[in-house]
Amino acid sequence: MNWKKGVLAGVVAGIVLNIVSFVFGMLPGKKEWYTATFPQMMNMQGLAAMFTSMFLIGVFMGIIYGTVVAYIYGKK
């Protein structure tokens, strides 16, 4: 099991997810759509929860990948 590399990859992926989300959130028209669709997320607690959840999703996916990569066919 290579979960330590998976955690590291997940941390990097979580940071990249947050950066990409922030950059695409700045596109014209995107903020208005997001505000209308998710009004409960337009406060500090909602934004903190969103960034934290994206970071944790990246870490979780990294752990899963680090665990399963040894069982992928063709990997030696």
Side-chain angles (χ1 to χ4, degrees):
M1 180 182 337
N2 202 2
W3 64 272
K4 290 181 183 178
K5 286 185 182 178
V7 170
L8 180 61
V11 168
V12 172
I15 292 169
V16 170
L17 279 169
N18 281 318
I19 291 171
V20 169
S21 167
F22 180 75
V23 169
F24 279 110
M26 296 294 166
L27 293 175
K30 180 78 171 181
K31 184 176 181 182
E32 291 80 13
W33 172 83
Y34 193 80
T35 303
T37 308
F38 303 106
Q40 68 276 15
M41 296 298 283
M42 290 290 102
N43 57 30
M44 289 308 290
Q45 291 92 2
L47 292 174
M50 180 179 65
F51 287 124
T52 303
S53 64
M54 282 194 293
F55 180 77
L56 291 176
I57 287 169
V59 171
F60 182 70
M61 289 188 319
I63 291 171
I64 297 289
Y65 177 76
T67 304
V68 191
V69 72
Y71 302 107
I72 295 175
Y73 182 74
K75 180 79 176 161
K76 294 185 183 207

